[in-house]
């Protein structure tokens, strides 16, 4: 039997990537953030809205990652 997170990943990953790619325009960044968000979803335990969690977490990761890269370089 497939876990809830695995099933959610299959159902939602493409949609979350499409939503974020439309505004971010960096496919590699978005795909990496979606993978990270699913790991966080699995660790989070009881989440009432997996889709909302994924979109919110992925958006934050996409915003924060370039900031962190600039801090490391500068």
């Amino acid at each position: 039997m497939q876990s809830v997170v695995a099933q959610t990943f299959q159902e939602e990953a493409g949609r979350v990537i499409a939503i974020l790619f439309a505004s971010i325009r960096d496919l590699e960044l978005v795909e990496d953030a979606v993978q990270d968000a699913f790991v966080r979803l699995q660790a989070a335990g009881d989440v009432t809205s997996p889709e909302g969690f994924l979109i919110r977490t992925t958006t934050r990761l996409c915003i924060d990652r370039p900031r962190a890269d600039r801090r490391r370089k500068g």
Side-chain angles (χ1 to χ4, degrees):
M1 182 172 193
Q2 202 174 30
S3 75
V4 173
V5 174
Q7 182 178 351
T8 302
F9 182 82
Q10 286 182 334
E11 293 171 357
E12 301 294 336
R15 194 166 101 77
V16 173
I17 289 170
I19 290 168
L20 292 169
F21 181 73
S23 60
I24 308 248
R25 298 286 183 203
D26 183 341
L27 186 58
E28 184 178 338
L29 173 63
V30 172
E31 288 176 336
D32 287 348
V34 168
Q35 291 289 330
D36 290 347
F38 273 98
V39 170
R40 291 175 186 215
L41 175 62
Q42 192 167 16
D46 189 28
V47 174
T48 57
S49 174
E51 179 188 15
F53 179 92
L54 292 170
I55 291 171
R56 183 182 69 241
T57 303
T58 306
T59 300
R60 289 179 179 169
L61 289 168
C62 285
I63 291 169
D64 291 345
R65 192 162 288 150
R67 287 180 186 168
D69 289 347
R70 282 193 300 269
R71 274 188 238 127
R72 273 183 260 154
K73 290 179 183 176

Coordinates of all heavy atoms in Angstrom, one line a residue:
M1 N 0.8 -1.2 0.0 CA 0.0 0.0 0.0 C 0.9 1.2 0.0 O 1.9 1.3 0.7 CB -0.9 0.0 1.2 CG -1.8 1.2 1.3 SD -3.0 0.9 2.6 CE -4.2 2.2 2.2
Q2 N 0.5 2.2 -0.8 CA 1.3 3.4 -1.0 C 1.0 4.4 0.2 O -0.1 4.5 0.7 CB 0.8 4.1 -2.3 CG 1.8 5.0 -2.9 CD 1.3 5.4 -4.3 OE1 0.1 5.5 -4.5 NE2 2.2 5.7 -5.1
S3 N 2.1 5.1 0.7 CA 1.9 6.0 1.7 C 1.2 7.2 1.2 O 1.1 7.5 0.0 CB 3.3 6.4 2.3 OG 3.9 7.3 1.4
V4 N 0.6 8.0 2.2 CA -0.1 9.2 1.8 C 0.8 10.2 1.1 O 0.4 10.9 0.2 CB -0.8 9.8 3.1 CG1 -1.4 11.2 2.8 CG2 -1.8 8.8 3.7
V5 N 2.0 10.3 1.6 CA 2.9 11.3 1.0 C 3.3 10.9 -0.4 O 3.3 11.7 -1.3 CB 4.2 11.4 1.9 CG1 5.3 12.3 1.2 CG2 3.9 12.0 3.3
A6 N 3.5 9.6 -0.6 CA 3.8 9.1 -2.0 C 2.7 9.3 -2.9 O 2.9 9.8 -4.1 CB 4.2 7.7 -2.0
Q7 N 1.5 9.1 -2.4 CA 0.3 9.3 -3.3 C 0.1 10.8 -3.5 O -0.2 11.2 -4.7 CB -1.0 8.8 -2.6 CG -2.2 8.9 -3.4 CD -3.4 8.3 -2.7 OE1 -3.3 7.7 -1.7 NE2 -4.6 8.6 -3.2
T8 N 0.3 11.6 -2.5 CA 0.2 13.1 -2.7 C 1.3 13.6 -3.7 O 1.0 14.4 -4.5 CB 0.4 13.8 -1.4 OG1 -0.6 13.3 -0.5 CG2 0.2 15.3 -1.5
F9 N 2.5 13.0 -3.6 CA 3.5 13.4 -4.5 C 3.1 13.1 -6.0 O 3.2 14.0 -6.8 CB 4.8 12.7 -4.2 CG 6.0 13.1 -5.1 CD1 6.7 14.2 -4.9 CD2 6.3 12.3 -6.2 CE1 7.7 14.6 -5.7 CE2 7.3 12.7 -7.1 CZ 8.0 13.8 -6.8
Q10 N 2.6 11.9 -6.2 CA 2.2 11.5 -7.6 C 1.0 12.4 -8.1 O 1.0 12.8 -9.2 CB 1.7 10.1 -7.6 CG 2.8 9.1 -7.5 CD 2.4 7.7 -7.6 OE1 1.2 7.3 -7.3 NE2 3.2 6.8 -8.1
E11 N 0.1 12.8 -7.2 CA -1.0 13.6 -7.6 C -0.7 15.1 -7.7 O -1.3 15.8 -8.6 CB -2.1 13.5 -6.5 CG -2.7 12.1 -6.5 CD -3.7 11.9 -5.3 OE1 -3.9 12.8 -4.5 OE2 -4.3 10.8 -5.3
E12 N 0.2 15.6 -6.9 CA 0.4 17.1 -6.8 C 1.7 17.6 -7.3 O 1.8 18.8 -7.6 CB 0.2 17.5 -5.3 CG -1.1 17.2 -4.7 CD -2.3 17.9 -5.3 OE1 -2.0 19.0 -5.9 OE2 -3.4 17.4 -5.2
A13 N 2.7 16.8 -7.5 CA 4.1 17.4 -7.8 C 4.0 18.1 -9.1 O 4.5 19.3 -9.2 CB 5.1 16.2 -7.9
G14 N 3.4 17.6 -10.2 CA 3.4 18.3 -11.4 C 2.6 19.6 -11.4 O 3.0 20.6 -11.9
R15 N 1.5 19.6 -10.6 CA 0.7 20.8 -10.5 C 1.5 21.9 -9.7 O 1.5 23.1 -10.1 CB -0.6 20.5 -9.8 CG -1.6 21.5 -9.8 CD -2.9 20.9 -9.4 NE -3.3 21.3 -8.1 CZ -3.8 22.4 -7.7 NH1 -3.9 23.4 -8.6 NH2 -4.1 22.6 -6.5
V16 N 2.1 21.5 -8.6 CA 2.9 22.5 -7.8 C 4.1 23.0 -8.6 O 4.3 24.2 -8.6 CB 3.4 21.8 -6.5 CG1 4.3 22.7 -5.7 CG2 2.2 21.4 -5.6
I17 N 4.7 22.2 -9.4 CA 5.8 22.7 -10.2 C 5.3 23.7 -11.2 O 5.9 24.7 -11.5 CB 6.5 21.5 -10.9 CG1 7.4 20.7 -9.9 CG2 7.4 21.9 -12.1 CD1 7.9 19.4 -10.4
A18 N 4.2 23.4 -11.9 CA 3.6 24.3 -12.9 C 3.2 25.6 -12.3 O 3.5 26.7 -12.9 CB 2.4 23.6 -13.5
I19 N 2.6 25.6 -11.1 CA 2.2 26.8 -10.4 C 3.4 27.7 -10.2 O 3.4 28.9 -10.5 CB 1.4 26.5 -9.1 CG1 0.1 25.9 -9.5 CG2 1.3 27.8 -8.3 CD1 -0.6 25.3 -8.2
L20 N 4.4 27.1 -9.6 CA 5.6 27.9 -9.2 C 6.5 28.3 -10.4 O 7.0 29.4 -10.4 CB 6.4 27.2 -8.1 CG 5.7 27.1 -6.8 CD1 6.4 26.2 -5.9 CD2 5.5 28.5 -6.2
F21 N 6.6 27.4 -11.4 CA 7.4 27.7 -12.5 C 6.8 28.9 -13.3 O 7.6 29.7 -13.8 CB 7.5 26.5 -13.5 CG 8.4 26.8 -14.7 CD1 9.8 26.9 -14.5 CD2 7.8 27.0 -15.9 CE1 10.6 27.2 -15.6 CE2 8.6 27.3 -17.0 CZ 10.0 27.4 -16.9
A22 N 5.5 29.1 -13.3 CA 4.9 30.2 -13.9 C 5.4 31.6 -13.4 O 5.5 32.5 -14.2 CB 3.4 30.2 -13.8
S23 N 5.8 31.6 -12.1 CA 6.3 32.9 -11.6 C 7.8 32.9 -11.4 O 8.4 34.0 -11.5 CB 5.5 33.2 -10.3 OG 5.8 32.2 -9.3
I24 N 8.4 31.8 -11.1 CA 9.8 31.7 -10.7 C 10.7 31.6 -12.0 O 11.7 32.2 -12.1 CB 10.1 30.6 -9.8 CG1 9.2 30.7 -8.6 CG2 11.5 30.5 -9.4 CD1 9.6 31.0 -7.3
R25 N 10.2 30.8 -13.0 CA 11.0 30.6 -14.2 C 12.4 30.0 -14.1 O 13.3 30.3 -14.8 CB 11.1 31.9 -15.0 CG 9.8 32.5 -15.4 CD 9.2 31.7 -16.5 NE 8.0 32.3 -17.0 CZ 7.0 31.7 -17.6 NH1 7.2 30.4 -17.9 NH2 5.9 32.3 -18.0
D26 N 12.5 29.2 -13.1 CA 13.8 28.4 -12.9 C 13.4 27.0 -12.5 O 13.1 26.7 -11.3 CB 14.6 29.1 -11.7 CG 15.9 28.4 -11.5 OD1 16.1 27.2 -12.0 OD2 16.8 29.0 -10.9
L27 N 13.3 26.2 -13.5 CA 12.8 24.8 -13.4 C 13.6 24.0 -12.4 O 13.1 23.3 -11.5 CB 12.7 24.1 -14.7 CG 12.1 22.7 -14.7 CD1 10.6 22.8 -14.1 CD2 12.1 22.1 -16.1
E28 N 14.9 24.1 -12.4 CA 15.8 23.4 -11.5 C 15.5 23.8 -10.1 O 15.4 22.9 -9.2 CB 17.2 23.6 -11.8 CG 18.2 22.8 -11.0 CD 19.6 23.0 -11.4 OE1 19.9 23.4 -12.5 OE2 20.5 22.7 -10.5
L29 N 15.4 25.1 -9.8 CA 15.1 25.6 -8.5 C 13.7 25.0 -8.0 O 13.6 24.6 -6.9 CB 15.1 27.1 -8.4 CG 14.7 27.8 -7.1 CD1 15.6 27.4 -6.0 CD2 14.6 29.3 -7.3
V30 N 12.7 25.1 -8.8 CA 11.4 24.7 -8.5 C 11.4 23.2 -8.2 O 10.8 22.7 -7.2 CB 10.4 25.1 -9.5 CG1 9.0 24.5 -9.3 CG2 10.2 26.6 -9.6
E31 N 12.0 22.4 -9.1 CA 12.0 20.9 -8.9 C 12.7 20.5 -7.6 O 12.2 19.7 -6.8 CB 12.6 20.2 -10.0 CG 11.8 20.3 -11.3 CD 12.4 19.6 -12.5 OE1 13.7 19.6 -12.6 OE2 11.7 19.2 -13.4
D32 N 13.8 21.2 -7.3 CA 14.5 20.9 -6.0 C 13.7 21.3 -4.8 O 13.6 20.6 -3.8 CB 15.9 21.7 -6.0 CG 16.9 21.1 -6.9 OD1 16.7 20.0 -7.4 OD2 17.9 21.8 -7.1
A33 N 13.0 22.4 -4.9 CA 12.2 22.9 -3.8 C 11.0 22.0 -3.6 O 10.6 21.7 -2.4 CB 11.7 24.3 -4.1
V34 N 10.4 21.4 -4.7 CA 9.3 20.5 -4.5 C 9.8 19.2 -3.8 O 9.1 18.7 -2.9 CB 8.6 20.2 -5.9 CG1 7.7 19.0 -5.8 CG2 7.9 21.4 -6.4
Q35 N 10.9 18.7 -4.2 CA 11.5 17.5 -3.5 C 11.7 17.8 -2.1 O 11.3 17.0 -1.2 CB 12.8 17.1 -4.2 CG 12.7 16.6 -5.6 CD 12.0 15.2 -5.6 OE1 12.2 14.4 -4.7 NE2 11.3 14.9 -6.7
D36 N 12.3 18.9 -1.7 CA 12.5 19.3 -0.3 C 11.2 19.4 0.4 O 11.1 19.0 1.6 CB 13.3 20.6 -0.2 CG 14.7 20.5 -0.7 OD1 15.2 19.4 -0.8 OD2 15.4 21.6 -0.9
A37 N 10.2 20.0 -0.2 CA 8.9 20.2 0.4 C 8.3 18.8 0.7 O 7.6 18.7 1.8 CB 8.0 21.0 -0.4
F38 N 8.4 17.9 -0.1 CA 7.8 16.5 0.1 C 8.6 15.9 1.3 O 7.9 15.2 2.1 CB 7.8 15.7 -1.1 CG 6.6 15.9 -2.0 CD1 6.6 16.7 -3.1 CD2 5.4 15.3 -1.6 CE1 5.5 17.0 -3.8 CE2 4.3 15.5 -2.4 CZ 4.3 16.3 -3.5
V39 N 9.8 16.0 1.4 CA 10.6 15.5 2.5 C 10.0 16.1 3.8 O 9.8 15.4 4.8 CB 12.1 15.7 2.4 CG1 12.8 15.4 3.7 CG2 12.6 14.9 1.2
R40 N 9.8 17.4 3.8 CA 9.3 18.1 5.0 C 7.9 17.7 5.3 O 7.5 17.6 6.4 CB 9.3 19.6 4.7 CG 10.8 20.1 4.7 CD 10.8 21.6 4.4 NE 12.2 22.0 4.3 CZ 12.7 23.2 4.6 NH1 11.8 24.1 5.1 NH2 13.9 23.5 4.5
L41 N 7.1 17.4 4.2 CA 5.7 17.0 4.4 C 5.7 15.6 5.1 O 4.9 15.4 6.0 CB 5.0 16.9 3.1 CG 3.6 16.2 3.1 CD1 2.6 17.1 4.0 CD2 3.0 16.1 1.7
Q42 N 6.6 14.7 4.7 CA 6.7 13.4 5.3 C 7.1 13.5 6.8 O 6.6 12.8 7.6 CB 7.7 12.6 4.6 CG 7.7 11.1 4.9 CD 8.5 10.3 4.0 OE1 9.3 10.8 3.2 NE2 8.2 9.0 4.0
A43 N 8.0 14.5 7.1 CA 8.4 14.7 8.5 C 7.4 15.4 9.3 O 7.4 15.3 10.6 CB 9.8 15.4 8.5
A44 N 6.5 16.2 8.7 CA 5.6 17.0 9.4 C 4.5 16.2 10.2 O 3.9 16.6 11.2 CB 4.9 18.0 8.5
G45 N 4.2 15.0 9.7 CA 3.2 14.2 10.3 C 1.8 14.6 9.9 O 1.4 14.5 8.8
D46 N 1.0 15.1 10.9 CA -0.4 15.4 10.7 C -0.6 16.7 10.0 O -0.6 17.8 10.7 CB -1.2 15.3 12.0 CG -2.7 15.4 11.8 OD1 -3.2 15.0 10.7 OD2 -3.4 15.9 12.7
V47 N -0.8 16.7 8.7 CA -1.1 18.0 7.9 C -2.5 17.9 7.4 O -2.8 16.9 6.7 CB 0.0 18.1 6.8 CG1 -0.4 19.3 5.9 CG2 1.4 18.2 7.4
T48 N -3.3 18.9 7.6 CA -4.7 18.8 7.2 C -4.8 19.1 5.7 O -5.8 18.6 5.1 CB -5.6 19.8 8.0 OG1 -5.0 21.1 7.8 CG2 -5.6 19.5 9.4
S49 N -3.9 19.9 5.1 CA -4.0 20.2 3.7 C -2.6 20.0 3.0 O -1.8 20.9 3.0 CB -4.5 21.6 3.4 OG -4.4 21.9 2.1
P50 N -2.3 18.7 2.6 CA -1.0 18.5 2.0 C -0.7 19.4 0.8 O 0.4 19.9 0.6 CB -1.1 17.0 1.5 CG -2.1 16.4 2.4 CD -3.1 17.5 2.6
E51 N -1.7 19.7 0.0 CA -1.5 20.6 -1.2 C -1.1 22.0 -0.7 O -0.2 22.6 -1.2 CB -2.8 20.7 -2.0 CG -2.7 21.6 -3.2 CD -4.0 21.8 -3.9 OE1 -5.0 21.5 -3.4 OE2 -3.9 22.3 -5.1
G52 N -1.9 22.5 0.3 CA -1.5 23.8 0.8 C -0.1 23.9 1.4 O 0.6 24.8 1.2
F53 N 0.2 22.8 2.2 CA 1.5 22.7 2.8 C 2.6 22.7 1.7 O 3.6 23.4 1.8 CB 1.6 21.4 3.6 CG 2.9 21.2 4.2 CD1 3.1 21.6 5.5 CD2 4.0 20.5 3.6 CE1 4.4 21.4 6.2 CE2 5.2 20.3 4.2 CZ 5.4 20.8 5.5
L54 N 2.4 22.0 0.6 CA 3.4 21.9 -0.4 C 3.6 23.2 -1.2 O 4.7 23.6 -1.4 CB 3.0 20.8 -1.4 CG 3.1 19.4 -0.9 CD1 2.5 18.4 -1.9 CD2 4.5 19.0 -0.6
I55 N 2.5 23.8 -1.5 CA 2.6 25.1 -2.2 C 3.2 26.2 -1.3 O 4.2 26.9 -1.8 CB 1.2 25.6 -2.7 CG1 0.7 24.6 -3.8 CG2 1.2 27.0 -3.2 CD1 -0.7 24.9 -4.2
R56 N 2.8 26.3 -0.1 CA 3.4 27.3 0.8 C 4.9 27.0 1.1 O 5.7 27.9 0.9 CB 2.7 27.3 2.2 CG 3.2 28.3 3.1 CD 2.5 28.3 4.5 NE 2.8 27.1 5.2 CZ 2.0 26.1 5.6 NH1 0.7 26.2 5.3 NH2 2.4 25.0 6.2
T57 N 5.2 25.7 1.4 CA 6.6 25.4 1.6 C 7.5 25.5 0.4 O 8.6 26.1 0.5 CB 6.7 23.9 2.2 OG1 5.9 23.8 3.3 CG2 8.1 23.5 2.5
T58 N 7.1 25.1 -0.7 CA 7.8 25.2 -2.0 C 8.1 26.7 -2.3 O 9.2 27.1 -2.7 CB 7.2 24.5 -3.1 OG1 6.9 23.1 -2.7 CG2 8.0 24.5 -4.4
T59 N 7.0 27.5 -2.2 CA 7.2 28.9 -2.4 C 8.2 29.6 -1.5 O 9.1 30.3 -2.0 CB 5.8 29.7 -2.2 OG1 4.9 29.1 -3.1 CG2 5.9 31.1 -2.5
R60 N 8.2 29.2 -0.3 CA 9.2 29.8 0.7 C 10.6 29.3 0.4 O 11.5 30.1 0.4 CB 8.8 29.4 2.1 CG 7.6 30.2 2.6 CD 7.2 29.8 4.0 NE 6.0 30.5 4.4 CZ 5.3 30.2 5.5 NH1 5.7 29.2 6.3 NH2 4.3 30.9 5.8
L61 N 10.7 28.1 0.0 CA 12.0 27.5 -0.4 C 12.6 28.2 -1.6 O 13.7 28.6 -1.7 CB 12.0 26.0 -0.6 CG 11.8 25.2 0.6 CD1 11.4 23.7 0.3 CD2 13.0 25.2 1.5
C62 N 11.7 28.5 -2.6 CA 12.1 29.2 -3.8 C 12.5 30.6 -3.6 O 13.4 31.1 -4.2 CB 11.0 29.1 -4.9 SG 10.8 27.5 -5.6
I63 N 11.9 31.2 -2.6 CA 12.2 32.6 -2.3 C 13.5 32.7 -1.4 O 14.4 33.5 -1.7 CB 11.1 33.3 -1.5 CG1 9.9 33.5 -2.5 CG2 11.5 34.6 -0.9 CD1 8.6 33.9 -1.8
D64 N 13.6 31.7 -0.5 CA 14.8 31.8 0.4 C 16.1 31.3 -0.2 O 17.1 31.8 0.2 CB 14.5 30.9 1.7 CG 13.4 31.6 2.5 OD1 13.1 32.8 2.3 OD2 12.8 30.9 3.4
R65 N 16.0 30.3 -1.1 CA 17.2 29.8 -1.6 C 18.1 30.8 -2.3 O 19.3 30.8 -2.0 CB 16.9 28.6 -2.5 CG 18.2 27.8 -2.9 CD 17.9 26.4 -3.4 NE 17.4 25.6 -2.3 CZ 16.5 24.6 -2.4 NH1 16.1 24.3 -3.6 NH2 16.1 23.9 -1.4
P66 N 17.6 31.6 -3.2 CA 18.5 32.6 -3.8 C 19.1 33.6 -2.8 O 20.2 34.1 -2.9 CB 17.6 33.3 -4.8 CG 16.5 32.3 -5.2 CD 16.3 31.6 -3.9
R67 N 18.3 34.0 -1.8 CA 18.8 34.9 -0.8 C 20.0 34.2 0.0 O 21.0 34.9 0.2 CB 17.7 35.2 0.3 CG 16.6 36.1 -0.2 CD 15.6 36.3 0.8 NE 14.5 37.1 0.4 CZ 13.3 37.2 1.0 NH1 13.2 36.6 2.2 NH2 12.4 37.9 0.5
A68 N 19.8 32.9 0.3 CA 20.9 32.2 1.0 C 22.2 32.2 0.1 O 23.3 32.3 0.6 CB 20.4 30.9 1.4
D69 N 22.0 31.9 -1.2 CA 23.1 31.8 -2.1 C 23.8 33.2 -2.2 O 25.0 33.2 -2.2 CB 22.6 31.4 -3.5 CG 22.2 30.0 -3.6 OD1 22.5 29.2 -2.6 OD2 21.5 29.6 -4.6
R70 N 23.1 34.3 -2.2 CA 23.7 35.6 -2.2 C 24.5 35.9 -1.0 O 25.5 36.5 -1.0 CB 22.6 36.7 -2.5 CG 22.2 36.8 -3.9 CD 21.4 38.1 -4.1 NE 20.2 38.2 -3.3 CZ 19.0 37.7 -3.7 NH1 18.8 37.1 -4.8 NH2 17.9 37.9 -2.8
R71 N 23.9 35.5 0.2 CA 24.6 35.7 1.5 C 25.9 34.9 1.5 O 27.0 35.4 2.0 CB 23.7 35.2 2.6 CG 22.8 36.3 3.1 CD 22.1 35.9 4.4 NE 20.7 36.0 4.0 CZ 19.8 35.1 4.2 NH1 20.2 33.9 4.8 NH2 18.6 35.2 3.9
R72 N 25.9 33.7 0.9 CA 27.1 32.9 0.9 C 28.2 33.4 0.0 O 29.4 33.4 0.3 CB 26.8 31.4 0.5 CG 26.4 30.6 1.7 CD 26.2 29.2 1.2 NE 24.7 29.1 1.1 CZ 24.1 28.3 0.3 NH1 24.7 27.4 -0.4 NH2 22.8 28.3 0.3
K73 N 27.8 34.0 -1.1 CA 28.7 34.6 -2.1 C 29.3 35.9 -1.6 O 30.4 36.3 -1.9 CB 28.1 34.8 -3.4 CG 27.8 33.5 -4.1 CD 27.1 33.8 -5.5 CE 26.7 32.5 -6.2 NZ 26.0 32.7 -7.4
G74 N 28.5 36.7 -0.9 CA 28.8 38.0 -0.6 C 29.4 38.3 0.7 O 30.1 39.1 1.0

